[in-house]
Amino acid sequence: MESGFASSSKGFMENVDQPHVLAVDDSDIDRKLIEKLLKNFSCKVTTAENGPMALEFLGLGDHQNHSNISKVNLVITDYCMPGMTGYELLKKIKESSVMKEVPVVIMSSENIPNRINKCLEEGAQMFMLKPIKQSDIKQLRCHLMNCRS
Amino acid sequence: MDAVAQWRKQWFDYTQYLRLEGFLDDQFAQLKKLQDENSPDFVVEVVSLFFQDSEKLLNNMARALEQNVVDFKQVDACVHQFKGSSAWIGAMRLKNVCINFRNYCEAQNLEGCLGCLQQVQQECSALKNNLENLFRLEQQIVAAGGSIPVME
């Protein structure tokens, strides 16, 4: 059953009242802030501290439990994380047959064009510079709903 | 001037001072905007978390810089994290010291790093005092029946 799972990345917020976002970041402060930012925009939020835990939640972990795939509408992840980076997480999601349509947004505190291009080329929906403001989340929502401002 | 008006004026003056001195920038106002009826203590929670984390990070940095062979990459990783958190709460001066600190890490300049560490510790202490004063003022406004002004 795939109710609430947007099959295309456009209109992900359009069809869903309360989009479910998976936020991945190794910093507890960042997780707290991202969660609040998203909740203020009526999102349901699950947080994960690292890539492997995120993959596990998405049903792409070592146990590959496809019967338990969570209905996530968006993944937002930090780039710089120890172990698996946000870029590596992005790749794993885009490589999976079941999750590749889920939009992935990358966040970073550093504005490095190579890094940004690399992520966009790998299929990231958007790149956001930290610290993230409410207007950034608004823009994200607009972008994913294919709004014209 | 009644008590509430007086506290509110103090609040305006104090936040003005904090901004002029560079202790806090616009991002702090952004942080305040996130607070609502669902999470009335959000700002205090985030700030407490920040100072808890900063204590750990500062200890890690100090320990790393004391080693016979200093692992500058490790120090840099701590500073990077600290800089990120500082940016989130609008701690401009702290963020700027971190930028210098990272440069010294990259240059593997121990003396420079130690100087920055001391500066970070001082700025952190000063910011903690300032925020405690600010929160106390806000508590007084609320206790006197007033509402905290919106930070622009």
Side-chain angles (χ1 to χ4, degrees):
Chain A
M1 195 175 77
E2 292 189 287
S3 64
F5 186 99
S7 55
S8 98
S9 43
K10 298 213 169 101
F12 107 96
M13 296 266 200
E14 225 170 86
N15 303 330
V16 184
D17 272 339
Q18 234 200 354
H20 187 176
V21 183
L22 174 65
V24 192
D25 202 310
D26 58 315
S27 155
D28 49 5
I29 292 182
D30 291 42
R31 280 197 304 277
K32 190 176 174 78
L33 285 156
I34 304 283
E35 185 175 20
K36 188 73 174 98
L37 278 160
L38 290 165
K39 278 186 170 161
N40 282 5
F41 276 90
S42 317
C43 295
K44 175 180 169 200
V45 185
T46 299
T47 59
E49 301 181 7
N50 56 50
M53 286 176 75
L55 288 172
E56 203 64 50
F57 183 78
L58 293 170
L60 300 177
D62 289 337
H63 304 111
Q64 291 281 325
N65 190 357
H66 286 186
S67 66
N68 199 26
I69 291 170
S70 51
K71 307 169 194 94
V72 161
N73 303 112
L74 171 73
V75 176
I76 183 165
T77 177
D78 187 24
Y79 181 94
C80 266
M81 293 188 293
M84 187 185 290
T85 65
Y87 175 71
E88 285 158 358
L89 175 60
L90 163 69
K91 276 176 77 170
K92 285 224 151 42
I93 292 173
K94 292 301 168 187
E95 277 163 12
S96 103
S97 49
V98 276
M99 284 282 148
K100 65 179 178 204
E101 292 301 316
V102 178
V104 180
V105 171
I106 309 276
M107 307 178 277
S108 177
S109 55
E110 295 174 300
N111 190 355
I112 299 173
N114 274 349
R115 179 181 287 186
I116 298 173
N117 289 334
K118 194 172 74 164
C119 291
L120 293 175
E121 274 165 25
E122 199 59 44
Q125 204 66 28
M126 225 174 141
F127 187 97
M128 292 169 90
L129 207 54
K130 291 181 180 180
I132 292 169
K133 307 191 211 335
Q134 284 186 317
S135 53
D136 294 326
I137 303 292
K138 216 177 198 173
Q139 192 189 11
L140 170 65
R141 193 174 192 155
C142 215
H143 177 96
L144 288 164
M145 282 178 73
N146 209 24
C147 290
R148 306 259 175 266
S149 56
Chain B
M1 228 198 272
D2 74 352
V4 172
Q6 215 163 6
W7 291 127
R8 281 174 69 103
K9 176 153 194 325
Q10 264 195 37
W11 186 94
F12 275 114
D13 291 343
Y14 198 60
T15 49
Q16 177 101 317
Y17 157 75
L18 291 177
R19 288 177 83 132
L20 282 171
E21 292 295 308
F23 282 111
L24 293 175
D25 65 21
D26 287 336
Q27 187 54 35
F28 189 74
Q30 289 289 326
L31 180 64
K32 282 195 143 251
K33 277 191 195 161
L34 292 180
Q35 188 162 293
D36 56 18
E37 323 78 56
N38 292 332
S39 50
D41 299 315
F42 186 71
V43 177
V44 170
E45 284 168 11
V46 171
V47 168
S48 303
L49 198 55
F50 171 77
F51 285 114
Q52 271 170 41
D53 279 5
S54 65
E55 209 181 301
K56 280 186 226 149
L57 284 171
L58 288 173
N59 285 339
N60 289 345
M61 286 178 218
R63 252 202 315 273
L65 289 168
E66 277 166 13
Q67 303 304 310
N68 283 331
V69 182
V70 175
D71 183 351
F72 284 100
K73 279 208 151 69
Q74 196 197 354
V75 180
D76 183 66
C78 289
V79 181
H80 171 76
Q81 202 180 329
F82 196 74
K83 174 171 162 264
S85 309
S86 302
W88 274 114
I89 68 166
M92 192 170 83
R93 281 160 71 132
L94 258 177
K95 190 181 74 177
N96 289 340
V97 179
C98 287
I99 293 172
N100 287 343
F101 204 155
R102 289 198 79 189
N103 289 337
Y104 282 123
C105 286
E106 204 176 357
Q108 308 213 344
N109 182 333
L110 182 57
E111 213 175 292
C113 283
L114 289 170
C116 279
L117 178 63
Q118 197 175 35
Q119 245 188 311
V120 169
Q121 284 162 335
Q122 284 165 349
E123 288 293 341
C124 219
S125 209
L127 181 67
K128 192 154 190 244
N129 280 339
N130 287 332
L131 286 172
E132 278 169 3
N133 290 341
L134 184 66
F135 293 148
R136 207 171 12 246
L137 255 177
E138 292 183 346
Q139 277 167 356
Q140 275 159 343
I141 293 173
V142 172
S147 63
I148 301 166
V150 172
M151 194 175 271
E152 286 310 324

